[in-house]
Amino acid sequence: MEYVYFIERGLVSVSARISEQEFVEAWLIGSEGMIGAPLILTQDKTPPHRRVVQVGGTARRIPAREFLALLQDLPTFRKVLLRYIDVVLVQTSQSGACNAVHSFKQRLARWLLVAQNALEEDGLPLTHDVLSQLLGVRRASVTECLTRLEGAGSIRCSRRLITVIDRQLLRTVSCTCFDLIDREYRRQLAAQPWRCPAPPPLSDESESE
């Protein structure tokens, strides 16, 4: 890992390997987060997860060696990033528990809500194939469940786009796992005094590593 990326706009999935060729999503990164979180804890530049840009956007990057130096020199910066690590841990653990005990309809609703928060947009430009890979289920199951959610009026599906049109209705479909994830994000990051508006995008920055 040569660079650390701070996402300004876009959606990046971090996936864990379940077989030689298969990965399942462990957590999502949007404008609230960064690519390179393991460096904060271990300074290991070769983490085992796979990171894939699912929705393109913009990001600011910094060389890993400079990032590690800043962690030592700027204690408030390090404190904020440790709070972000806590949010990631809650998201991964709660998502794992959700995947083990809740219905796929609830899991999909939870994922759509988390993705909407991370992207900060109602429209999610994702295909059924991508969702099936991220969630580790058959494409037919994704299509069937999206059709049911659309029929209930919580989302609208079009080619390569899923739009959340009734967030509150979608929350009633989801289990309480989303509320727990969202509450931790707001407690650790959104309500903190250091949170400030994002800087203007840089057109020449890379989207992912």
Side-chain angles (χ1 to χ4, degrees):
M1 183 182 296
E2 296 182 13
Y3 294 94
V4 170
Y5 294 82
F6 291 88
I7 309 300
E8 292 183 328
R9 182 186 178 280
L11 197 63
V12 179
S13 62
V14 182
S15 300
R17 185 189 297 273
I18 58 173
S19 70
E20 188 63 30
Q21 300 295 329
E22 294 181 298
F23 292 80
V24 173
E25 184 183 271
W27 73 89
L28 274 175
I29 306 171
S31 58
E32 85 295 340
M34 57 172 290
I35 301 173
L39 285 174
I40 302 169
L41 301 177
T42 67
Q43 300 186 12
D44 182 1
K45 296 184 180 181
T46 57
H49 298 96
R50 184 177 73 170
R51 295 160 296 280
V52 178
V53 176
Q54 301 297 349
V55 178
T58 57
R60 298 191 182 230
R61 73 180 188 181
I62 179 174
R65 63 183 181 279
E66 295 182 20
F67 172 75
L68 291 173
L70 288 175
L71 288 180
Q72 302 300 319
D73 296 340
L74 302 175
T76 300
F77 178 58
R78 180 180 178 84
K79 181 178 180 180
V80 173
L81 293 180
L82 287 174
R83 284 179 174 270
Y84 171 66
I85 291 292
D86 182 80
V87 171
V88 169
L89 290 174
V90 170
Q91 184 184 153
T92 55
S93 60
Q94 198 65 44
S95 297
C98 181
N99 292 341
V101 300
H102 292 143
S103 70
F104 179 63
K105 185 178 180 181
Q106 291 174 308
R107 292 164 49 200
L108 180 58
R110 182 257 302 163
W111 191 94
L112 292 173
L113 288 165
V114 171
Q116 183 191 27
N117 276 3
L119 192 58
E120 296 185 323
E121 293 183 10
D122 294 335
L124 307 174
L126 299 165
T127 66
H128 295 194
D129 282 334
V130 167
L131 282 176
S132 69
Q133 295 169 19
L134 293 176
L135 299 173
V137 299
R138 296 182 303 112
R139 183 188 185 281
S141 298
V142 172
T143 299
E144 178 185 358
C145 197
L146 288 175
T147 299
R148 292 170 63 188
L149 292 175
E150 184 175 27
S154 59
I155 65 171
R156 180 174 62 249
C157 296
S158 54
R159 183 173 176 80
R160 297 179 178 274
L161 182 67
I162 301 167
T163 304
V164 177
I165 58 176
D166 192 328
R167 179 178 173 86
Q168 291 307 313
L169 181 57
L170 192 60
R171 290 185 74 157
T172 65
V173 175
S174 174
C175 49
T176 58
C177 294
F178 168 73
D179 291 329
L180 291 170
I181 293 170
D182 186 55
R183 185 184 310 147
E184 188 66 11
Y185 163 74
R186 296 182 184 283
R187 185 177 74 87
Q188 293 285 18
L189 298 175
Q192 298 303 320
W194 55 68
R195 184 169 174 82
C196 58
L202 297 179
S203 58
D204 60 343
E205 293 293 358
S206 172
E207 292 175 1
S208 180
E209 57 189 301

